[in-house]
Amino acid sequence: MVKSPAKASYTHGQPWETKGQSPANETEPGAHSNIATGLTDDENLSVRVLYTDSGMEIIPHATIRFNESDNEYPFTLTGPVGPNAAPVSITLELTKTDGKRFTAKTELYRLADPKHSQSVTRIDSLFGGLQVRNDGSNWKTIFPYSFYLSGAWLASSPDNLKKFSDFGFNILHIIPGGEGIGYDLHQLDLWFDEAEKLGLWIMYDMRWTYQNENYVRTQVERYKSRKNMLLWYTADEPELLPAQGVRKVTLITETDGFEDPPSAPSKSYSLIKSLDPYHPISLCLNCQNYHFQEYSAGADIVMVDVYPIGTNLSFSTKYHTPCNSTYGDCGCDNCSPSIAPLLNIPARLDLWSQFQSQLALPQKPFWAVPQAFPAQDFFTRDPTDDEIIAMVLLSVNHGAKGIIAWSFPTTTEILYKMRYLAMVVQGHGFEEFVLGARRKNVPVVGGEGMVDAVAWTLGKGMLISVVSTGDRPSASDLIYLDLPGGRHPVLWRATPLGSEGWLMRRGKRLECPGSWTDGVKGVLLEVELSDD
């Protein structure tokens, strides 16, 4: 399938001239507000996709409406695209009703099936999820849900890997040590063998060695053919100074500073892809906006770790300095003290999505790293059960397609809630909705901005995620959801997270009392919709 063109951009592409729009004012502020003048809502634009060099058509004709995106069109791979061939240039043409034509180009790659019975992982560019298969099996969609895992804890008992799997997590992401290659590779082989039997997928971490070409080659060649290999992980907070005493291995590039050079992830990315084109590459960025474009260029999946709980966001209790946009470290980079702390999580995800649009970059999937560790360092208290739920749901509400929490082992209380959420995300249609449907914002009436809600629709079914980030009752007597699509609920049921105060009223809307915002909480609701 191929996606239709992206929505209209105000910063990139060719000018879209319309009746009454003079070239002189196209660069003035607000000049694009009349971008669709002369086009009606039901007017279609013609789309054609073809091989650039030969002119052979891939999609002879399709139609879209102006400013639409994410439509799917089937096509067959024929002509010059063969397995293991060099990338082929593809041209997309869009023609207006007045005959004016716009073009864009991209490259199409086609990989041969791997020679060994290894896994192959691909990213669904439409919905952002991961799909994996091995031994020629059918593609399986995965919502990654797990922890960064201490190798020392894993080694402390031969039963621990089985315990970890029994908790309901589906990813094995072992944190490497800081010396040499970071692992006892013989022990790692044994763990990976057991993980395959347990159904755990490998997220291989090279945080200390991804800049060392020899170490990267050794690790990728050793593990790329495993049946349970899912993806690689390179840079971990590369914008930050390394912890005292930690040796960062830097042989691919040299740097004048202490943080990893912004080009380092991309150089490692190119090397890994040359060795293993069958698995995506991820990294985790900590800073709100420090060389985002350069660092994120080195990954297929970008992870975000926003830790807003139990820390002073305006004054660093660790360094005894103020924290603002240019100075200070409070453990949550540029997190705002003027909003509810948890709202810094969706704010970061939304901002990074905007960055990708503004930079005319593909929308790479985001994964979130919730704060699932006890009080330490900047953080004066543990997250509560309700905050754990809210962090996960807020991340998913704003586009996260995977959850890898920091870090395990953790407290009994945090583990209990993370285990409970594992049951939720792996059941009740969660994966099917979140990784198989478009996410739609749900307008909330009442709540004074303390309620965050989104929905996914598949056929007559809808999954709704609702989070309160409030600390006081709403001034409204009722809070209700204006469901997208103009359809009404005819049947609803709570998921294992419960409904906690939400009711379906008169078969028309979902509502709850204004007191629902008196505290952090999150719910998932499943709804059957009417036909009209």
Side-chain angles (χ1 to χ4, degrees), residues 447-477:
E448 289 85 59
M450 295 182 286
V451 180
D452 186 274
V454 300
W456 299 263
T457 303
L458 285 173
K460 294 181 66 175
M462 178 180 286
L463 180 69
I464 307 167
S465 172
V466 191
V467 179
S468 164
T469 59
D471 57 3
R472 66 188 187 280
S474 169
S476 309
D477 292 334

Side-chain angles (χ1 to χ4, degrees), residues 377-432:
D377 212 7
F378 300 97
F379 310 97
T380 59
R381 65 173 180 85
D382 301 358
T384 67
D385 288 356
D386 286 329
E387 286 170 336
I388 293 288
I389 292 173
M391 282 190 288
V392 171
L393 291 187
L394 282 171
S395 299
V396 173
N397 284 7
H398 291 261
K401 302 300 181 180
I403 299 290
I404 310 292
W406 183 268
S407 62
F408 193 91
T410 186
T411 68
T412 301
E413 293 76 15
I414 293 174
L415 173 59
Y416 175 81
K417 192 52 62 175
M418 289 293 292
R419 289 181 63 183
Y420 189 74
L421 284 168
M423 177 180 65
V424 173
V425 302
Q426 294 180 28
H428 297 274
F430 182 91
E431 282 186 351
E432 288 81 358

Side-chain angles (χ1 to χ4, degrees), residues 229-503:
M229 173 57 69
L230 187 68
L231 76 164
W232 306 101
Y233 182 87
T234 56
D236 182 82
E237 299 185 342
E239 324 98 311
L240 303 184
L241 301 179
Q244 186 176 3
V246 171
R247 174 179 58 86
K248 286 204 171 184
V249 184
T250 309
L251 296 181
I252 289 181
T253 60
E254 296 296 332
T255 175
D256 294 329
F258 289 100
E259 72 274 358
D260 295 350
S263 61
S266 289
K267 292 185 177 182
S268 180
Y269 180 94
S270 297
L271 174 59
I272 295 170
K273 285 295 183 182
S274 71
L275 301 170
D276 176 25
Y278 295 100
H279 299 101
I281 299 166
S282 63
L283 54 72
C284 183
L285 301 182
N286 175 272
C287 293
Q288 180 199 45
N289 183 18
Y290 183 74
H291 293 289
F292 173 84
Q293 180 177 6
E294 292 85 354
Y295 282 123
S296 67
D300 302 299
I301 296 165
V302 181
M303 301 177 68
V304 54
D305 55 355
V306 178
Y307 302 150
I309 295 171
T311 183
N312 187 325
L313 297 177
S314 58
F315 186 84
S316 175
T317 56
K318 179 177 180 179
Y319 298 114
H320 306 289
T321 63
C323 288
N324 53 46
S325 60
T326 58
Y327 187 80
D329 183 356
C330 288
C332 192
D333 187 56
N334 275 357
C335 290
S336 173
S338 62
I339 60 176
L342 287 171
L343 287 178
N344 285 287
I345 296 171
R348 183 72 57 86
L349 287 163
D350 292 348
L351 181 66
W352 283 7
S353 181
Q354 292 172 23
F355 284 170
Q356 292 190 128
S357 296
Q358 292 164 355
L359 294 166
L361 300 174
Q363 286 289 327
K364 295 181 179 181
F366 296 135
W367 291 8
V369 183
Q371 182 179 342
F373 51 83
Q376 58 184 267
D377 212 7
F378 300 97
F379 310 97
T380 59
R381 65 173 180 85
D382 301 358
T384 67
D385 288 356
D386 286 329
E387 286 170 336
I388 293 288
I389 292 173
M391 282 190 288
V392 171
L393 291 187
L394 282 171
S395 299
V396 173
N397 284 7
H398 291 261
K401 302 300 181 180
I403 299 290
I404 310 292
W406 183 268
S407 62
F408 193 91
T410 186
T411 68
T412 301
E413 293 76 15
I414 293 174
L415 173 59
Y416 175 81
K417 192 52 62 175
M418 289 293 292
R419 289 181 63 183
Y420 189 74
L421 284 168
M423 177 180 65
V424 173
V425 302
Q426 294 180 28
H428 297 274
F430 182 91
E431 282 186 351
E432 288 81 358
F433 280 102
V434 174
L435 301 181
R438 293 180 179 87
R439 173 173 50 98
K440 299 286 187 180
N441 292 329
V442 177
V444 179
V445 180
E448 289 85 59
M450 295 182 286
V451 180
D452 186 274
V454 300
W456 299 263
T457 303
L458 285 173
K460 294 181 66 175
M462 178 180 286
L463 180 69
I464 307 167
S465 172
V466 191
V467 179
S468 164
T469 59
D471 57 3
R472 66 188 187 280
S474 169
S476 309
D477 292 334
L478 287 176
I479 300 169
Y480 64 91
L481 306 180
D482 185 7
L483 297 185
R487 297 159 74 185
H488 302 303
V490 295
L491 179 68
W492 79 288
R493 56 190 175 273
T495 68
L497 279 184
S499 59
E500 192 169 345
W502 285 89
L503 299 170

Side-chain angles (χ1 to χ4, degrees), residues 68-333:
E68 271 193 336
S69 64
D70 293 344
N71 294 290
E72 292 182 87
Y73 303 102
F75 68 94
T76 302
L77 284 176
T78 56
V81 183
N84 285 335
V88 176
S89 178
I90 302 295
T91 297
L92 183 145
E93 293 182 351
L94 183 146
T95 305
K96 291 174 60 178
T97 52
D98 63 5
K100 185 169 182 179
R101 181 174 298 171
F102 299 83
T103 62
K105 292 183 180 179
T106 188
E107 290 183 326
L108 178 63
Y109 294 79
R110 183 183 178 189
L111 297 175
D113 286 333
K115 296 179 181 179
H116 306 287
S117 58
Q118 67 180 62
S119 64
V120 179
T121 308
R122 68 184 184 186
I123 297 173
D124 174 10
S125 295
L126 185 59
F127 299 122
L130 284 190
Q131 299 172 349
V132 64
R133 71 176 185 182
N134 51 35
D135 285 336
S137 60
N138 294 328
W139 291 101
K140 172 182 173 61
T141 299
I142 294 178
F143 186 93
Y145 185 83
S146 192
F147 274 93
Y148 290 80
L149 178 62
S150 164
W153 177 84
L154 203 55
S156 65
S157 168
D159 299 325
N160 276 352
L161 187 56
K162 176 67 163 55
K163 288 180 182 178
F164 187 76
S165 174
D166 288 345
F167 291 151
F169 308 125
N170 58 5
I171 303 296
L172 180 61
H173 183 148
I174 302 173
I175 306 167
E179 295 297 327
I181 209 164
Y183 300 104
D184 176 340
L185 295 183
H186 174 67
Q187 178 61 71
L188 206 58
D189 291 338
L190 297 177
W191 283 335
F192 287 174
D193 287 343
E194 184 180 358
E196 183 179 332
K197 296 175 184 177
L198 294 170
L200 289 169
W201 294 96
I202 298 167
M203 184 174 184
Y204 193 94
D205 192 325
M206 294 186 280
R207 68 181 63 197
W208 306 125
T209 57
Y210 80 95
Q211 295 183 73
N212 182 305
E213 182 174 346
N214 291 331
Y215 282 163
V216 169
R217 287 184 180 276
T218 296
Q219 294 171 99
V220 173
E221 293 290 0
R222 189 180 184 105
Y223 295 115
K224 68 180 184 181
S225 297
R226 281 195 165 267
K227 292 183 179 180
N228 58 334
M229 173 57 69
L230 187 68
L231 76 164
W232 306 101
Y233 182 87
T234 56
D236 182 82
E237 299 185 342
E239 324 98 311
L240 303 184
L241 301 179
Q244 186 176 3
V246 171
R247 174 179 58 86
K248 286 204 171 184
V249 184
T250 309
L251 296 181
I252 289 181
T253 60
E254 296 296 332
T255 175
D256 294 329
F258 289 100
E259 72 274 358
D260 295 350
S263 61
S266 289
K267 292 185 177 182
S268 180
Y269 180 94
S270 297
L271 174 59
I272 295 170
K273 285 295 183 182
S274 71
L275 301 170
D276 176 25
Y278 295 100
H279 299 101
I281 299 166
S282 63
L283 54 72
C284 183
L285 301 182
N286 175 272
C287 293
Q288 180 199 45
N289 183 18
Y290 183 74
H291 293 289
F292 173 84
Q293 180 177 6
E294 292 85 354
Y295 282 123
S296 67
D300 302 299
I301 296 165
V302 181
M303 301 177 68
V304 54
D305 55 355
V306 178
Y307 302 150
I309 295 171
T311 183
N312 187 325
L313 297 177
S314 58
F315 186 84
S316 175
T317 56
K318 179 177 180 179
Y319 298 114
H320 306 289
T321 63
C323 288
N324 53 46
S325 60
T326 58
Y327 187 80
D329 183 356
C330 288
C332 192
D333 187 56

